[in-house]
Amino acid sequence: MRGQPAIIALLLALMCLVRFGLSAFAYAAPEALMAELGAPLAANPQMSYVVRVWAVRDMVIALLVLLARPAWLPALLIGCIAIDCTDILSAWLSGRAGQFSPKDTMGLMGTAVAALVPETLALLLLRRRAGQTVKSD
């Protein structure tokens, strides 16, 4: 994220804050997160392990984006977008299968959308900026 214009840095920081903040909470208190998302521990005894595995993944991704060189950002953001789109699809499919209430399904989708929007905007701005740089050369 180094060397980016303020708006891109702000979008990336927002995405990293959402991703890292939720993940840190999930890692520290998986049972609380699961209850909030409508998947209480009593119904899913193995889920605290799965939640922690997911949480570490997202914390590492956030740190990679924060520490990335400019040339690496587009690829990292494409990966983040793919992850968040599959998270949204997974939540939607789980809701359709009756595994979550409509409210809980929207909550699951909302967490992915909260990271998806700023990272997508940042990628679009990066691409636009790269296109302008190429045209001016």
Side-chain angles (χ1 to χ4, degrees):
M1 156 162 133
R2 295 178 275 167
Q4 297 303 321
I7 186 67
I8 294 173
L10 181 66
L11 289 167
L12 293 173
L14 178 61
M15 181 273 289
C16 290
L17 181 65
V18 168
R19 189 177 293 280
F20 193 91
L22 182 62
S23 299
F25 172 70
Y27 191 84
E31 296 84 7
L33 179 72
M34 291 167 38
E36 183 65 31
L37 295 176
L41 185 60
N44 303 284
Q46 300 85 4
M47 283 305 291
S48 60
Y49 166 78
V50 174
V51 167
R52 283 191 169 120
V53 169
W54 157 82
V56 169
R57 172 200 79 173
D58 267 25
M59 287 188 283
V60 168
I61 290 170
L63 290 174
L64 286 172
V65 170
L66 282 174
L67 301 173
R69 295 179 184 185
W72 299 353
L73 272 176
L76 284 170
L77 290 174
I78 290 168
C80 290
I81 290 166
I83 288 167
D84 290 326
C85 286
T86 58
D87 288 353
I88 291 167
L89 179 61
S90 296
W92 181 75
L93 290 171
S94 295
R96 295 257 322 186
Q99 295 171 334
F100 293 98
S101 71
K103 178 182 174 245
D104 291 335
T105 300
M106 292 306 292
L108 289 167
M109 292 170 69
T111 59
V113 169
L116 180 65
V117 170
E119 68 201 14
T120 301
L121 291 173
L123 180 62
L124 292 172
L125 290 171
L126 283 170
R127 298 250 182 207
R128 186 171 132 207
R129 185 172 179 233
Q132 290 173 346
T133 304
V134 170
K135 289 179 185 175
S136 66
D137 288 341

mmCIF file of all heavy atoms in Angstrom, residues 29-74:
data_model
loop_
_atom_site.group_PDB
_atom_site.id
_atom_site.type_symbol
_atom_site.label_atom_id
_atom_site.label_comp_id
_atom_site.label_asym_id
_atom_site.label_seq_id
_atom_site.Cartn_x
_atom_site.Cartn_y
_atom_site.Cartn_z
ATOM 1 N N ALA A 29 -12.266 -14.539 20.140
ATOM 2 C CA ALA A 29 -13.548 -14.969 20.718
ATOM 3 C C ALA A 29 -14.418 -15.634 19.657
ATOM 4 O O ALA A 29 -15.471 -15.115 19.275
ATOM 5 C CB ALA A 29 -14.270 -13.764 21.318
ATOM 6 N N PRO A 30 -14.000 -16.810 19.152
ATOM 7 C CA PRO A 30 -14.775 -17.449 18.086
ATOM 8 C C PRO A 30 -16.212 -17.774 18.491
ATOM 9 O O PRO A 30 -17.129 -17.683 17.674
ATOM 10 C CB PRO A 30 -13.983 -18.714 17.756
ATOM 11 C CG PRO A 30 -13.110 -18.957 18.934
ATOM 12 C CD PRO A 30 -12.850 -17.620 19.553
ATOM 13 N N GLU A 31 -16.409 -18.130 19.758
ATOM 14 C CA GLU A 31 -17.763 -18.470 20.206
ATOM 15 C C GLU A 31 -18.681 -17.258 20.130
ATOM 16 O O GLU A 31 -19.839 -17.365 19.717
ATOM 17 C CB GLU A 31 -17.740 -19.028 21.637
ATOM 18 C CG GLU A 31 -16.988 -20.335 21.776
ATOM 19 C CD GLU A 31 -15.472 -20.162 21.935
ATOM 20 O OE1 GLU A 31 -14.976 -19.022 22.077
ATOM 21 O OE2 GLU A 31 -14.769 -21.182 21.890
ATOM 22 N N ALA A 32 -18.171 -16.083 20.507
ATOM 23 C CA ALA A 32 -18.977 -14.861 20.447
ATOM 24 C C ALA A 32 -19.308 -14.499 19.006
ATOM 25 O O ALA A 32 -20.444 -14.124 18.701
ATOM 26 C CB ALA A 32 -18.242 -13.713 21.133
ATOM 27 N N LEU A 33 -18.335 -14.614 18.116
ATOM 28 C CA LEU A 33 -18.598 -14.313 16.709
ATOM 29 C C LEU A 33 -19.618 -15.286 16.137
ATOM 30 O O LEU A 33 -20.541 -14.878 15.433
ATOM 31 C CB LEU A 33 -17.314 -14.360 15.887
ATOM 32 C CG LEU A 33 -17.535 -14.076 14.400
ATOM 33 C CD1 LEU A 33 -17.844 -12.607 14.173
ATOM 34 C CD2 LEU A 33 -16.337 -14.497 13.587
ATOM 35 N N MET A 34 -19.449 -16.563 16.442
ATOM 36 C CA MET A 34 -20.377 -17.567 15.931
ATOM 37 C C MET A 34 -21.796 -17.299 16.415
ATOM 38 O O MET A 34 -22.752 -17.397 15.637
ATOM 39 C CB MET A 34 -19.912 -18.963 16.349
ATOM 40 C CG MET A 34 -18.640 -19.383 15.652
ATOM 41 S SD MET A 34 -17.848 -20.842 16.361
ATOM 42 C CE MET A 34 -19.176 -21.880 16.810
ATOM 43 N N ALA A 35 -21.956 -16.956 17.668
ATOM 44 C CA ALA A 35 -23.289 -16.655 18.203
ATOM 45 C C ALA A 35 -23.870 -15.435 17.499
ATOM 46 O O ALA A 35 -25.062 -15.421 17.160
ATOM 47 C CB ALA A 35 -23.214 -16.432 19.705
ATOM 48 N N GLU A 36 -23.048 -14.427 17.262
ATOM 49 C CA GLU A 36 -23.513 -13.210 16.584
ATOM 50 C C GLU A 36 -23.953 -13.500 15.154
ATOM 51 O O GLU A 36 -24.884 -12.898 14.652
ATOM 52 C CB GLU A 36 -22.401 -12.154 16.595
ATOM 53 C CG GLU A 36 -22.787 -10.848 15.990
ATOM 54 C CD GLU A 36 -23.886 -10.114 16.744
ATOM 55 O OE1 GLU A 36 -23.968 -10.249 17.972
ATOM 56 O OE2 GLU A 36 -24.673 -9.414 16.090
ATOM 57 N N LEU A 37 -23.282 -14.442 14.502
ATOM 58 C CA LEU A 37 -23.597 -14.774 13.113
ATOM 59 C C LEU A 37 -24.658 -15.875 12.989
ATOM 60 O O LEU A 37 -24.957 -16.328 11.894
ATOM 61 C CB LEU A 37 -22.329 -15.188 12.367
ATOM 62 C CG LEU A 37 -21.282 -14.087 12.217
ATOM 63 C CD1 LEU A 37 -20.034 -14.635 11.547
ATOM 64 C CD2 LEU A 37 -21.832 -12.903 11.451
ATOM 65 N N GLY A 38 -25.216 -16.298 14.108
ATOM 66 C CA GLY A 38 -26.295 -17.283 14.065
ATOM 67 C C GLY A 38 -25.838 -18.722 13.981
ATOM 68 O O GLY A 38 -26.576 -19.580 13.516
ATOM 69 N N ALA A 39 -24.627 -19.004 14.402
ATOM 70 C CA ALA A 39 -24.095 -20.371 14.389
ATOM 71 C C ALA A 39 -23.522 -20.681 15.769
ATOM 72 O O ALA A 39 -22.311 -20.774 15.939
ATOM 73 C CB ALA A 39 -23.032 -20.515 13.313
ATOM 74 N N PRO A 40 -24.378 -20.830 16.772
ATOM 75 C CA PRO A 40 -23.876 -21.023 18.137
ATOM 76 C C PRO A 40 -23.038 -22.287 18.282
ATOM 77 O O PRO A 40 -23.238 -23.271 17.572
ATOM 78 C CB PRO A 40 -25.146 -21.102 18.977
ATOM 79 C CG PRO A 40 -26.221 -21.469 18.025
ATOM 80 C CD PRO A 40 -25.828 -20.926 16.684
ATOM 81 N N LEU A 41 -22.103 -22.229 19.215
ATOM 82 C CA LEU A 41 -21.164 -23.330 19.431
ATOM 83 C C LEU A 41 -21.875 -24.647 19.740
ATOM 84 O O LEU A 41 -21.426 -25.704 19.298
ATOM 85 C CB LEU A 41 -20.193 -22.970 20.565
ATOM 86 C CG LEU A 41 -19.079 -23.969 20.846
ATOM 87 C CD1 LEU A 41 -18.204 -24.162 19.626
ATOM 88 C CD2 LEU A 41 -18.238 -23.506 22.025
ATOM 89 N N ALA A 42 -22.978 -24.604 20.449
ATOM 90 C CA ALA A 42 -23.688 -25.836 20.805
ATOM 91 C C ALA A 42 -24.094 -26.632 19.561
ATOM 92 O O ALA A 42 -24.092 -27.859 19.572
ATOM 93 C CB ALA A 42 -24.909 -25.512 21.648
ATOM 94 N N ALA A 43 -24.400 -25.931 18.479
ATOM 95 C CA ALA A 43 -24.817 -26.600 17.246
ATOM 96 C C ALA A 43 -23.636 -26.943 16.338
ATOM 97 O O ALA A 43 -23.787 -27.707 15.393
ATOM 98 C CB ALA A 43 -25.801 -25.717 16.487
ATOM 99 N N ASN A 44 -22.477 -26.373 16.615
ATOM 100 C CA ASN A 44 -21.308 -26.534 15.747
ATOM 101 C C ASN A 44 -20.037 -26.662 16.583
ATOM 102 O O ASN A 44 -19.210 -25.747 16.599
ATOM 103 C CB ASN A 44 -21.182 -25.308 14.836
ATOM 104 C CG ASN A 44 -22.412 -25.063 14.016
ATOM 105 O OD1 ASN A 44 -22.645 -25.758 13.058
ATOM 106 N ND2 ASN A 44 -23.196 -24.063 14.403
ATOM 107 N N PRO A 45 -19.820 -27.775 17.262
ATOM 108 C CA PRO A 45 -18.686 -27.861 18.190
ATOM 109 C C PRO A 45 -17.303 -27.688 17.553
ATOM 110 O O PRO A 45 -16.375 -27.261 18.222
ATOM 111 C CB PRO A 45 -18.825 -29.238 18.826
ATOM 112 C CG PRO A 45 -19.851 -29.962 18.057
ATOM 113 C CD PRO A 45 -20.635 -28.978 17.260
ATOM 114 N N GLN A 46 -17.153 -27.968 16.277
ATOM 115 C CA GLN A 46 -15.851 -27.836 15.628
ATOM 116 C C GLN A 46 -15.617 -26.441 15.045
ATOM 117 O O GLN A 46 -14.524 -26.127 14.585
ATOM 118 C CB GLN A 46 -15.703 -28.857 14.478
ATOM 119 C CG GLN A 46 -15.818 -30.284 14.890
ATOM 120 C CD GLN A 46 -17.259 -30.770 14.946
ATOM 121 O OE1 GLN A 46 -18.189 -30.059 14.597
ATOM 122 N NE2 GLN A 46 -17.447 -31.986 15.425
ATOM 123 N N MET A 47 -16.620 -25.596 15.068
ATOM 124 C CA MET A 47 -16.524 -24.328 14.371
ATOM 125 C C MET A 47 -15.513 -23.350 14.958
ATOM 126 O O MET A 47 -14.988 -22.519 14.238
ATOM 127 C CB MET A 47 -17.898 -23.667 14.266
ATOM 128 C CG MET A 47 -18.773 -24.278 13.187
ATOM 129 S SD MET A 47 -18.010 -24.293 11.548
ATOM 130 C CE MET A 47 -18.014 -22.555 11.181
ATOM 131 N N SER A 48 -15.220 -23.426 16.240
ATOM 132 C CA SER A 48 -14.239 -22.477 16.760
ATOM 133 C C SER A 48 -12.881 -22.694 16.089
ATOM 134 O O SER A 48 -12.157 -21.736 15.812
ATOM 135 C CB SER A 48 -14.131 -22.563 18.278
ATOM 136 O OG SER A 48 -13.729 -23.850 18.682
ATOM 137 N N TYR A 49 -12.540 -23.938 15.776
ATOM 138 C CA TYR A 49 -11.313 -24.222 15.038
ATOM 139 C C TYR A 49 -11.381 -23.624 13.634
ATOM 140 O O TYR A 49 -10.457 -22.937 13.192
ATOM 141 C CB TYR A 49 -11.077 -25.734 14.948
ATOM 142 C CG TYR A 49 -10.023 -26.098 13.924
ATOM 143 C CD1 TYR A 49 -8.672 -25.947 14.225
ATOM 144 C CD2 TYR A 49 -10.373 -26.557 12.668
ATOM 145 C CE1 TYR A 49 -7.705 -26.248 13.286
ATOM 146 C CE2 TYR A 49 -9.411 -26.859 11.719
ATOM 147 C CZ TYR A 49 -8.081 -26.711 12.035
ATOM 148 O OH TYR A 49 -7.123 -26.999 11.099
ATOM 149 N N VAL A 50 -12.473 -23.866 12.932
ATOM 150 C CA VAL A 50 -12.632 -23.367 11.568
ATOM 151 C C VAL A 50 -12.605 -21.839 11.549
ATOM 152 O O VAL A 50 -11.971 -21.228 10.682
ATOM 153 C CB VAL A 50 -13.938 -23.914 10.937
ATOM 154 C CG1 VAL A 50 -14.202 -23.293 9.585
ATOM 155 C CG2 VAL A 50 -13.881 -25.433 10.844
ATOM 156 N N VAL A 51 -13.264 -21.216 12.511
ATOM 157 C CA VAL A 51 -13.280 -19.757 12.587
ATOM 158 C C VAL A 51 -11.868 -19.220 12.785
ATOM 159 O O VAL A 51 -11.462 -18.245 12.151
ATOM 160 C CB VAL A 51 -14.232 -19.276 13.706
ATOM 161 C CG1 VAL A 51 -14.029 -17.806 14.021
ATOM 162 C CG2 VAL A 51 -15.671 -19.545 13.314
ATOM 163 N N ARG A 52 -11.098 -19.858 13.640
ATOM 164 C CA ARG A 52 -9.725 -19.394 13.865
ATOM 165 C C ARG A 52 -8.854 -19.574 12.623
ATOM 166 O O ARG A 52 -8.011 -18.731 12.323
ATOM 167 C CB ARG A 52 -9.119 -20.103 15.070
ATOM 168 C CG ARG A 52 -9.648 -19.533 16.372
ATOM 169 C CD ARG A 52 -8.863 -20.049 17.565
ATOM 170 N NE ARG A 52 -9.214 -19.302 18.747
ATOM 171 C CZ ARG A 52 -9.739 -19.843 19.843
ATOM 172 N NH1 ARG A 52 -9.938 -21.152 19.904
ATOM 173 N NH2 ARG A 52 -10.032 -19.085 20.873
ATOM 174 N N VAL A 53 -9.049 -20.656 11.874
ATOM 175 C CA VAL A 53 -8.305 -20.862 10.626
ATOM 176 C C VAL A 53 -8.639 -19.737 9.646
ATOM 177 O O VAL A 53 -7.750 -19.131 9.036
ATOM 178 C CB VAL A 53 -8.618 -22.249 10.019
ATOM 179 C CG1 VAL A 53 -8.082 -22.367 8.600
ATOM 180 C CG2 VAL A 53 -8.050 -23.347 10.904
ATOM 181 N N TRP A 54 -9.922 -19.435 9.497
ATOM 182 C CA TRP A 54 -10.336 -18.337 8.628
ATOM 183 C C TRP A 54 -9.765 -17.011 9.117
ATOM 184 O O TRP A 54 -9.298 -16.190 8.325
ATOM 185 C CB TRP A 54 -11.870 -18.273 8.570
ATOM 186 C CG TRP A 54 -12.364 -16.919 8.183
ATOM 187 C CD1 TRP A 54 -12.465 -16.408 6.926
ATOM 188 C CD2 TRP A 54 -12.784 -15.873 9.078
ATOM 189 N NE1 TRP A 54 -12.917 -15.113 6.981
ATOM 190 C CE2 TRP A 54 -13.126 -14.765 8.295
ATOM 191 C CE3 TRP A 54 -12.896 -15.782 10.463
ATOM 192 C CZ2 TRP A 54 -13.572 -13.583 8.855
ATOM 193 C CZ3 TRP A 54 -13.352 -14.604 11.009
ATOM 194 C CH2 TRP A 54 -13.693 -13.524 10.208
ATOM 195 N N ALA A 55 -9.795 -16.788 10.419
ATOM 196 C CA ALA A 55 -9.340 -15.516 10.982
ATOM 197 C C ALA A 55 -7.864 -15.281 10.685
ATOM 198 O O ALA A 55 -7.472 -14.171 10.304
ATOM 199 C CB ALA A 55 -9.601 -15.486 12.485
ATOM 200 N N VAL A 56 -7.051 -16.298 10.835
ATOM 201 C CA VAL A 56 -5.622 -16.150 10.545
ATOM 202 C C VAL A 56 -5.423 -15.809 9.069
ATOM 203 O O VAL A 56 -4.631 -14.929 8.725
ATOM 204 C CB VAL A 56 -4.835 -17.417 10.946
ATOM 205 C CG1 VAL A 56 -3.425 -17.385 10.402
ATOM 206 C CG2 VAL A 56 -4.826 -17.559 12.461
ATOM 207 N N ARG A 57 -6.164 -16.464 8.197
ATOM 208 C CA ARG A 57 -6.084 -16.179 6.758
ATOM 209 C C ARG A 57 -6.347 -14.696 6.500
ATOM 210 O O ARG A 57 -5.582 -14.030 5.811
ATOM 211 C CB ARG A 57 -7.114 -17.029 6.006
ATOM 212 C CG ARG A 57 -7.245 -16.665 4.530
ATOM 213 C CD ARG A 57 -8.539 -17.123 3.912
ATOM 214 N NE ARG A 57 -9.636 -16.231 4.269
ATOM 215 C CZ ARG A 57 -10.858 -16.303 3.774
ATOM 216 N NH1 ARG A 57 -11.169 -17.272 2.940
ATOM 217 N NH2 ARG A 57 -11.785 -15.448 4.122
ATOM 218 N N ASP A 58 -7.397 -14.165 7.072
ATOM 219 C CA ASP A 58 -7.754 -12.776 6.804
ATOM 220 C C ASP A 58 -6.799 -11.784 7.465
ATOM 221 O O ASP A 58 -6.534 -10.719 6.910
ATOM 222 C CB ASP A 58 -9.195 -12.505 7.211
ATOM 223 C CG ASP A 58 -10.160 -12.703 6.050
ATOM 224 O OD1 ASP A 58 -9.819 -13.469 5.131
ATOM 225 O OD2 ASP A 58 -11.237 -12.079 6.061
ATOM 226 N N MET A 59 -6.263 -12.124 8.617
ATOM 227 C CA MET A 59 -5.276 -11.232 9.238
ATOM 228 C C MET A 59 -4.010 -11.164 8.377
ATOM 229 O O MET A 59 -3.447 -10.089 8.169
ATOM 230 C CB MET A 59 -4.956 -11.673 10.665
ATOM 231 C CG MET A 59 -6.087 -11.375 11.645
ATOM 232 S SD MET A 59 -5.655 -11.672 13.376
ATOM 233 C CE MET A 59 -5.766 -13.445 13.477
ATOM 234 N N VAL A 60 -3.577 -12.298 7.862
ATOM 235 C CA VAL A 60 -2.391 -12.328 7.003
ATOM 236 C C VAL A 60 -2.649 -11.546 5.715
ATOM 237 O O VAL A 60 -1.797 -10.766 5.269
ATOM 238 C CB VAL A 60 -1.962 -13.782 6.701
ATOM 239 C CG1 VAL A 60 -0.920 -13.835 5.591
ATOM 240 C CG2 VAL A 60 -1.442 -14.444 7.962
ATOM 241 N N ILE A 61 -3.812 -11.722 5.126
ATOM 242 C CA ILE A 61 -4.143 -10.983 3.902
ATOM 243 C C ILE A 61 -4.113 -9.478 4.159
ATOM 244 O O ILE A 61 -3.562 -8.714 3.357
ATOM 245 C CB ILE A 61 -5.515 -11.426 3.357
ATOM 246 C CG1 ILE A 61 -5.419 -12.849 2.793
ATOM 247 C CG2 ILE A 61 -6.022 -10.460 2.288
ATOM 248 C CD1 ILE A 61 -6.760 -13.469 2.463
ATOM 249 N N ALA A 62 -4.689 -9.040 5.259
ATOM 250 C CA ALA A 62 -4.692 -7.606 5.581
ATOM 251 C C ALA A 62 -3.261 -7.089 5.736
ATOM 252 O O ALA A 62 -2.928 -6.009 5.220
ATOM 253 C CB ALA A 62 -5.490 -7.347 6.852
ATOM 254 N N LEU A 63 -2.423 -7.839 6.411
ATOM 255 C CA LEU A 63 -1.028 -7.414 6.582
ATOM 256 C C LEU A 63 -0.273 -7.397 5.257
ATOM 257 O O LEU A 63 0.539 -6.490 5.011
ATOM 258 C CB LEU A 63 -0.316 -8.308 7.588
ATOM 259 C CG LEU A 63 -0.778 -8.140 9.040
ATOM 260 C CD1 LEU A 63 -0.107 -9.183 9.933
ATOM 261 C CD2 LEU A 63 -0.496 -6.734 9.539
ATOM 262 N N LEU A 64 -0.535 -8.367 4.407
ATOM 263 C CA LEU A 64 0.108 -8.381 3.090
ATOM 264 C C LEU A 64 -0.267 -7.135 2.286
ATOM 265 O O LEU A 64 0.584 -6.525 1.639
ATOM 266 C CB LEU A 64 -0.272 -9.639 2.307
ATOM 267 C CG LEU A 64 0.377 -10.939 2.751
ATOM 268 C CD1 LEU A 64 -0.235 -12.122 2.013
ATOM 269 C CD2 LEU A 64 1.875 -10.886 2.558
ATOM 270 N N VAL A 65 -1.532 -6.761 2.322
ATOM 271 C CA VAL A 65 -1.969 -5.565 1.596
ATOM 272 C C VAL A 65 -1.324 -4.316 2.192
ATOM 273 O O VAL A 65 -0.839 -3.450 1.468
ATOM 274 C CB VAL A 65 -3.509 -5.454 1.582
ATOM 275 C CG1 VAL A 65 -3.970 -4.107 1.043
ATOM 276 C CG2 VAL A 65 -4.116 -6.582 0.754
ATOM 277 N N LEU A 66 -1.302 -4.221 3.521
ATOM 278 C CA LEU A 66 -0.706 -3.048 4.163
ATOM 279 C C LEU A 66 0.778 -2.895 3.840
ATOM 280 O O LEU A 66 1.274 -1.782 3.695
ATOM 281 C CB LEU A 66 -0.878 -3.125 5.681
ATOM 282 C CG LEU A 66 -2.247 -2.772 6.220
ATOM 283 C CD1 LEU A 66 -2.308 -3.025 7.723
ATOM 284 C CD2 LEU A 66 -2.623 -1.336 5.902
ATOM 285 N N LEU A 67 1.484 -3.991 3.720
ATOM 286 C CA LEU A 67 2.930 -3.956 3.515
ATOM 287 C C LEU A 67 3.352 -4.092 2.051
ATOM 288 O O LEU A 67 4.540 -4.065 1.746
ATOM 289 C CB LEU A 67 3.592 -5.067 4.336
ATOM 290 C CG LEU A 67 3.350 -4.997 5.851
ATOM 291 C CD1 LEU A 67 3.907 -6.239 6.528
ATOM 292 C CD2 LEU A 67 3.936 -3.719 6.433
ATOM 293 N N ALA A 68 2.383 -4.222 1.168
ATOM 294 C CA ALA A 68 2.672 -4.525 -0.239
ATOM 295 C C ALA A 68 3.354 -3.376 -0.967
ATOM 296 O O ALA A 68 3.061 -2.206 -0.744
ATOM 297 C CB ALA A 68 1.384 -4.888 -0.970
ATOM 298 N N ARG A 69 4.227 -3.763 -1.846
ATOM 299 C CA ARG A 69 4.803 -2.811 -2.800
ATOM 300 C C ARG A 69 3.729 -2.493 -3.838
ATOM 301 O O ARG A 69 2.856 -3.320 -4.104
ATOM 302 C CB ARG A 69 6.013 -3.434 -3.483
ATOM 303 C CG ARG A 69 7.137 -3.696 -2.531
ATOM 304 C CD ARG A 69 8.284 -4.326 -3.231
ATOM 305 N NE ARG A 69 9.315 -4.642 -2.240
ATOM 306 C CZ ARG A 69 10.485 -5.113 -2.535
ATOM 307 N NH1 ARG A 69 10.802 -5.354 -3.794
ATOM 308 N NH2 ARG A 69 11.347 -5.365 -1.582
ATOM 309 N N PRO A 70 3.798 -1.313 -4.454
ATOM 310 C CA PRO A 70 2.760 -0.943 -5.427
ATOM 311 C C PRO A 70 2.524 -1.983 -6.527
ATOM 312 O O PRO A 70 1.385 -2.215 -6.922
ATOM 313 C CB PRO A 70 3.272 0.380 -5.999
ATOM 314 C CG PRO A 70 4.082 0.968 -4.883
ATOM 315 C CD PRO A 70 4.740 -0.220 -4.213
ATOM 316 N N ALA A 71 3.563 -2.615 -7.004
ATOM 317 C CA ALA A 71 3.407 -3.589 -8.088
ATOM 318 C C ALA A 71 2.613 -4.830 -7.657
ATOM 319 O O ALA A 71 2.021 -5.513 -8.482
ATOM 320 C CB ALA A 71 4.767 -4.007 -8.621
ATOM 321 N N TRP A 72 2.612 -5.124 -6.376
ATOM 322 C CA TRP A 72 1.923 -6.318 -5.873
ATOM 323 C C TRP A 72 0.441 -6.075 -5.582
ATOM 324 O O TRP A 72 -0.331 -7.026 -5.470
ATOM 325 C CB TRP A 72 2.573 -6.819 -4.597
ATOM 326 C CG TRP A 72 3.997 -7.239 -4.715
ATOM 327 C CD1 TRP A 72 4.755 -7.347 -5.851
ATOM 328 C CD2 TRP A 72 4.850 -7.611 -3.641
ATOM 329 N NE1 TRP A 72 6.030 -7.750 -5.542
ATOM 330 C CE2 TRP A 72 6.113 -7.927 -4.186
ATOM 331 C CE3 TRP A 72 4.680 -7.707 -2.274
ATOM 332 C CZ2 TRP A 72 7.181 -8.334 -3.411
ATOM 333 C CZ3 TRP A 72 5.754 -8.114 -1.495
ATOM 334 C CH2 TRP A 72 6.984 -8.422 -2.063
ATOM 335 N N LEU A 73 0.068 -4.824 -5.390
ATOM 336 C CA LEU A 73 -1.300 -4.527 -4.950
ATOM 337 C C LEU A 73 -2.402 -5.055 -5.870
ATOM 338 O O LEU A 73 -3.364 -5.648 -5.375
ATOM 339 C CB LEU A 73 -1.480 -3.026 -4.745
ATOM 340 C CG LEU A 73 -1.120 -2.520 -3.367
ATOM 341 C CD1 LEU A 73 -1.241 -1.015 -3.302
ATOM 342 C CD2 LEU A 73 -1.967 -3.174 -2.299
ATOM 343 N N PRO A 74 -2.323 -4.846 -7.180
ATOM 344 C CA PRO A 74 -3.426 -5.349 -8.013
ATOM 345 C C PRO A 74 -3.678 -6.848 -7.849
ATOM 346 O O PRO A 74 -4.826 -7.277 -7.697
ATOM 347 C CB PRO A 74 -2.997 -4.993 -9.441
ATOM 348 C CG PRO A 74 -2.119 -3.799 -9.261
ATOM 349 C CD PRO A 74 -1.373 -4.060 -7.973
#
